[in-house]
Amino acid sequence: MKFGKTLAERTLKEWRFYYVDYKDLKKCINKSKEDSLSQEETKAAFDAILHLSEKKLSKFYHDKQAWAEGYIPTLETRVEDLRKSASLPGSPGSPSSISMNGSMTSDDFEVLTSSSPTGIADNLQLRLDKLTIDGNERDSDGAFLKQAYRQMGASKHFQDFIYAKKSLVTFQRELDLLLEFLDINKTAFSKILKKFDKQTGSSFREDRLDEILQRNAFLEGEVLMKMKRRVEGLIEEVTSLKPRLPNGWENRKVYTIGCFDLFHRGHQNVLLSLREFGAYLIVGIHDDESYFKLKNKYTIDNLETRMNNVKPFADQIYVIPSTDPLVYIKNMVSDQDIANGSCCYARGDDMLNFPSREWVESVMPVHFVPRTEGCSSTLIRTIYHSENQELRQKAAFAKTRYDGKPIDEDGNVLKLKA
């Protein structure tokens, strides 16, 4: 496979603007041959594109490095919060405090819910072990289980675990993507300089590649590798501090709703993290018309494309042809799952008061996960789909808001017309 095709396939959509302009550099070499330009003329035109590539690459990387270094303290704080909540004193409840005849008093539940999340799980399992198999007792246990799920989801230990785990895993993926980004750009420089020598009959490749690597020492990825080792250690610690979850937690159905236009790594990270709440993920997607009514702009990707993008990360997809998803999620969730407590709703924390939350929260636990920093559909839309070239350039290196949207110096979102 030719390298140009390999580069295109491995290019992360969100970062396409910042890669070495391999295609333009190749065109420059071929054009010089067609126009019978001298080696000096070809070199001047080639160097201009090469310099611009270095400039964009360096600016992008150093912005990312500065962001990563600034984000590390947030990650460490989340891990420290988890350490504290995991070590809070709290009795799991003694066997004598729990009724063993299949019923549970309010005092029983108070003992369990005042404990740490691990205590909740321990007492739940203890209770399950002691129950006899009787219809009424199964009903009682079902109610107990639903309460245990809600209590676990609301506990500080569990919430600290989710925020620490998701943030760290997402950050690790970001570092891996950046390292791959550096590696493929380094290869692109080498390949295009080799092609230049071949086409022009020169022998500049080794010296010029050495110069590029000296000017851009970050291409070796040493800083990122050091961060990655630190993050891997924190992930290992966080995993060891995971609460013991109530029986059946991992078998629940997980519901979520979104638009998923210009599907990006932020969407992927959220959908992957929702597996912490259950085994079966059901995703509602707004159709094109409801998307326009909600956001006052047209989708870039149509409904079929958006469904195909989400499907590898979901077990089931349904379409919501309305700005109000309430009637559609009501009809997706079975009464049996609600009665058994075998369902929950989870999503990113960028919209806490999501449409239909009141009903959803009345029938199942609601969980939130942190969003991916500096990543949004608005950013991608502005860089790659704005007709205003100045706005595209400005957005490419703009600061981003908490939700990943590009902002100007006054903190205003850079606007792209509907």
Side-chain angles (χ1 to χ4, degrees):
M1 183 185 295
K2 292 185 177 180
F3 180 74
K5 188 174 182 181
T6 300
L7 180 62
E9 290 181 353
R10 289 179 58 190
T11 297
L12 189 68
K13 177 174 62 177
E14 296 92 305
W15 297 346
R16 195 174 297 155
F17 179 86
Y18 314 103
Y19 281 76
V20 171
D21 291 330
Y22 189 86
K23 189 175 180 180
D24 285 348
L25 287 165
K26 187 176 176 181
K27 282 182 179 179
C28 177
I29 295 171
N30 293 334
K31 188 174 185 299
S32 68
K33 189 175 182 180
E34 294 169 4
D35 297 346
S36 300
L37 299 178
S38 67
Q39 188 180 95
E40 289 74 19
E41 291 172 320
T42 302
K43 186 176 182 299
F46 182 85
D47 283 352
I49 301 173
L50 196 66
H51 175 70
L52 181 59
S53 287
E54 282 191 64
K55 186 177 179 181
K56 287 196 301 181
L57 180 63
S58 178
K59 178 69 167 64
F60 170 76
Y61 170 79
H62 285 103
D63 283 351
K64 281 292 183 182
Q65 181 182 320
W67 164 78
E69 290 172 340
Y71 190 53
I72 289 286
T74 298
L75 296 173
E76 291 176 335
T77 296
R78 287 178 179 173
V79 174
E80 179 59 27
D81 288 343
L82 175 59
R83 291 187 191 114
K84 290 177 180 177
S85 60
S87 63
L88 287 174
S91 169
S94 63
S96 59
S97 68
I98 302 174
S99 173
M100 297 302 176
N101 62 4
S103 62
M104 180 178 66
T105 68
S106 59
D107 290 340
D108 292 336
F109 191 72
E110 184 178 352
V111 170
L112 298 180
T113 57
S114 64
S115 307
S116 67
T118 303
I120 296 171
D122 288 342
N123 280 284
L124 174 62
Q125 193 58 54
L126 173 65
R127 192 176 190 286
L128 291 175
D129 292 342
K130 296 296 183 181
L131 285 174
T132 58
I133 306 302
D134 176 272
N136 292 331
E137 290 168 353
R138 282 200 299 269
D139 290 342
S140 172
D141 181 62
F144 180 89
L145 199 61
K146 288 171 67 175
Q147 289 291 346
Y149 289 156
R150 285 186 179 273
Q151 181 66 16
M152 175 63 77
S155 70
K156 190 173 189 308
H157 184 172
F158 179 75
Q159 291 178 6
D160 286 345
F161 168 75
I162 286 296
Y163 265 72
K165 177 73 177 293
K166 199 273 183 179
S167 300
L168 284 165
V169 170
T170 296
F171 188 68
Q172 182 186 41
R173 290 193 191 117
E174 198 79 356
L175 294 178
D176 285 336
L177 288 170
L178 284 167
L179 285 166
E180 183 179 359
F181 172 85
L182 297 183
D183 181 66
I184 199 168
N185 276 284
K186 184 178 175 181
T187 302
F189 280 126
S190 178
K191 293 279 188 182
I192 201 64
L193 289 172
K194 180 180 180 180
K195 188 173 289 292
F196 178 88
D197 279 359
K198 183 178 179 180
Q199 291 282 17
T200 62
S202 57
S203 56
F204 296 143
R205 180 192 178 195
E206 290 188 11
D207 290 341
R208 299 188 71 194
L209 184 58
D210 285 343
E211 291 172 3
I212 289 172
L213 295 179
Q214 287 177 15
R215 286 195 298 268
N216 304 281
F218 61 83
L219 286 168
E220 300 298 337
E222 292 181 8
V223 173
L224 298 182
M225 287 300 299
K226 184 177 180 181
M227 287 187 196
K228 184 180 176 181
R229 288 191 291 271
R230 170 65 174 145
V231 168
E232 287 171 344
L234 290 174
I235 290 175
E236 186 175 347
E237 179 184 359
V238 165
T239 301
S240 72
L241 294 174
K242 180 177 181 177
R244 183 181 171 191
L245 301 172
N247 186 41
W249 174 283
E250 68 280 359
N251 296 322
R252 295 186 301 172
K253 293 177 183 176
V254 184
Y255 290 86
T256 195
I257 292 173
C259 294
F260 304 103
D261 192 29
L262 290 168
F263 195 74
H264 53 72
R265 67 192 189 284
H267 295 133
Q268 294 178 17
N269 290 334
V270 167
L271 292 174
L272 288 169
S273 69
L274 299 191
R275 299 290 181 179
E276 291 282 353
F277 306 106
Y280 195 85
L281 180 58
I282 302 169
V283 180
I285 303 180
H286 284 281
D287 71 353
D288 295 341
E289 184 177 350
S290 62
Y291 177 96
F292 179 80
K293 290 177 180 178
L294 284 167
K295 298 178 178 285
N296 193 32
K297 58 187 177 186
Y298 295 105
T299 60
I300 300 297
D301 298 329
N302 61 25
L303 176 62
E304 290 78 9
T305 299
R306 292 185 284 124
M307 291 173 70
N308 287 333
N309 287 337
V310 171
K311 189 62 179 78
F313 301 89
D315 298 292
Q316 187 175 352
I317 291 174
Y318 66 100
V319 176
I320 302 172
S322 171
T323 56
D324 184 358
L326 181 57
V327 67
Y328 302 96
I329 189 170
K330 272 187 174 182
N331 282 280
M332 283 301 299
V333 183
S334 74
D335 292 338
Q336 183 179 9
D337 285 342
I338 292 174
N340 293 338
S342 56
C343 56
C344 67
Y345 188 98
R347 60 159 297 129
D349 63 2
D350 53 328
M351 186 185 290
L352 299 179
N353 295 315
F354 57 87
S356 75
R357 175 169 180 171
E358 184 176 356
W359 178 82
V360 169
E361 204 162 26
S362 72
V363 299
M364 67 180 85
V366 173
H367 308 289
F368 294 99
V369 297
R371 70 180 318 281
T372 300
E373 296 281 334
C375 183
S376 77
S377 299
T378 300
L379 179 62
I380 298 170
R381 176 186 281 259
T382 308
I383 295 173
Y384 299 114
H385 299 281
S386 171
E387 296 180 359
N388 186 327
Q389 182 64 26
E390 183 180 351
L391 179 60
R392 294 173 66 176
Q393 293 278 347
K394 190 173 182 180
F397 294 109
K399 292 181 179 179
T400 53
R401 206 171 61 170
Y402 66 91
D403 55 4
K405 294 181 179 180
I407 56 176
D408 60 23
E409 294 177 356
D410 297 322
N412 300 312
V413 175
L414 297 174
K415 294 291 184 180
L416 178 65
K417 293 182 179 179

